[in-house]
Amino acid sequence: MELQQKDNISNLVDCWNKASRNGLNILDEGRMAEVWNKRSVSYARTMENDRRHKKTDQILSFLDECGFKPEGAKVLDIGCGPGTLSLPLSRMGADVTSLDISSGMLERLKDSVKEEALPIDIIECSWWTADIDELGFRNEFDLVIASMTPGIRDVENFERMMACSKKFCYYSNFLRREEDKAYRDIRSSILGEKSENNMNGMNFPFMYLYLAGYRPSVKINHDEWKEEASWQETADRAIDFIGRGRDFDDETKQMILDYYQNAATDGMYLSESDVYTGMMVWEV
């Protein structure tokens, strides 16, 4: 039985690593930072909408159900973005360390920290190549968070996350995302590619934990995302997102811009996505 378990884990890790190499367009840390820097202003703005507040409340409630108490706890937030979870946890009394590869995201977080005088330790760093011993992170935190972040791309990054915790870990990612119609049309008609409707960001980490003997608490969520913005802003965001890891020529960029301009109503475009996500908490 022990040998079978080792074989199962070994095969899963091999599959996970292959899927990571095939599925992630951005393999360069500098390029990843550039993409998220461009998105930082609009992403930070969504922190104030009702959907984002509801999602944050769901996560905090789930952590509470699993036994995590923020008062006095040390928390590491990997891929913290503009502080979606770092800020409320700090307000609740946690000692938060926030880490992200994007200087743009961290600037948004620093603005909030300064405005509210919150004692959050902010670190600009890539989790793909982070040295947790040099950073002093090993076995240091009561809770380590990796929420919807590309920072966890393979088993090495996942194990590094777990090695920083002495109590709880929280992880969330996509199970399935039906892309907005514009993304599907652009991929098929302009780029000649198959639309990326299915995602497996939650599957591999859960299976890895299960095979290793952990029994994480899991919640599966379903949301219908809707966001209206100017067609220009939406087109620029699509060019950045769909073009991850490659450079579109001017003709392709213009075709994408034309698509959104023609699809807009009174200069605005409504993006709609059908999304399933999973979140899990476990003790190390």
Side-chain angles (χ1 to χ4, degrees), residues 33-95:
E34 180 184 349
V35 167
W36 287 103
N37 285 341
K38 289 181 180 179
R39 296 188 63 189
S40 62
V41 175
S42 61
Y43 195 89
R45 192 165 58 238
T46 67
M47 286 177 60
E48 301 305 318
N49 66 34
D50 291 339
R51 179 175 65 80
R52 183 71 67 179
H53 280 300
K54 180 182 177 182
K55 184 65 177 177
T56 301
D57 289 343
Q58 286 177 342
I59 295 171
L60 296 175
S61 177
F62 185 42
L63 287 168
D64 182 67
E65 290 172 17
C66 294
F68 172 73
K69 305 302 178 186
E71 181 68 36
K74 293 188 68 175
V75 176
L76 173 62
D77 188 0
I78 300 167
C80 63
T84 307
L85 292 175
S86 292
L87 292 169
L89 284 168
S90 181
R91 295 177 191 126
M92 296 167 73
D95 178 8

Side-chain angles (χ1 to χ4, degrees), residues 195-208:
S195 181
E196 296 181 354
N197 290 337
N198 292 292
M199 310 182 81
N200 56 25
M202 182 73 177
N203 297 343
F204 285 118
F206 173 79
M207 292 174 66
Y208 179 80

Side-chain angles (χ1 to χ4, degrees), residues 3 5 19 22 50 70 91 121-122 141 143-144 150 157 175 182 188 254 263 279 281:
L3 181 60
Q5 182 189 33
N22 293 336
D50 291 339
R91 295 177 191 126
D121 186 18
I122 298 172
F141 297 93
L143 171 67
V144 179
N157 303 147
L175 281 165
S188 60
Q254 189 59 53
M279 55 184 182
V281 172

Side-chain angles (χ1 to χ4, degrees), residues 57-196:
D57 289 343
Q58 286 177 342
I59 295 171
L60 296 175
S61 177
F62 185 42
L63 287 168
D64 182 67
E65 290 172 17
C66 294
F68 172 73
K69 305 302 178 186
E71 181 68 36
K74 293 188 68 175
V75 176
L76 173 62
D77 188 0
I78 300 167
C80 63
T84 307
L85 292 175
S86 292
L87 292 169
L89 284 168
S90 181
R91 295 177 191 126
M92 296 167 73
D95 178 8
V96 180
T97 298
S98 302
L99 181 148
D100 204 287
I101 194 174
S102 167
S103 59
M105 289 290 187
L106 294 180
E107 285 302 317
R108 310 286 86 73
L109 175 56
K110 288 175 183 177
D111 289 343
S112 299
V113 166
K114 183 177 180 180
E115 182 178 339
E116 299 185 47
L118 293 171
I120 296 177
D121 186 18
I122 298 172
I123 299 175
E124 184 177 338
C125 177
S126 167
W127 195 248
W128 291 353
T129 52
D131 186 328
I132 62 173
D133 292 308
E134 185 176 300
L135 290 166
F137 283 179
R138 189 177 297 273
N139 299 321
E140 275 297 306
F141 297 93
D142 301 294
L143 171 67
V144 179
I145 297 170
S147 179
M148 307 298 290
T149 172
I152 308 296
R153 65 174 179 177
D154 56 28
V155 68
E156 181 182 349
N157 303 147
F158 192 65
E159 288 180 337
R160 186 178 298 145
M161 167 194 177
M162 293 175 62
C164 294
S165 176
K166 57 185 177 182
K167 184 64 173 177
F168 291 106
C169 285
Y170 169 90
Y171 178 87
S172 65
N173 214 318
F174 290 104
L175 281 165
R176 184 180 191 279
R177 179 176 181 177
E178 180 76 22
E179 290 183 328
D180 179 66
K181 181 180 182 299
Y183 277 38
R184 300 197 303 271
D185 288 349
I186 290 167
R187 289 189 192 280
S188 60
S189 62
I190 296 179
L191 303 179
E193 299 176 350
K194 185 178 180 180
S195 181
E196 296 181 354

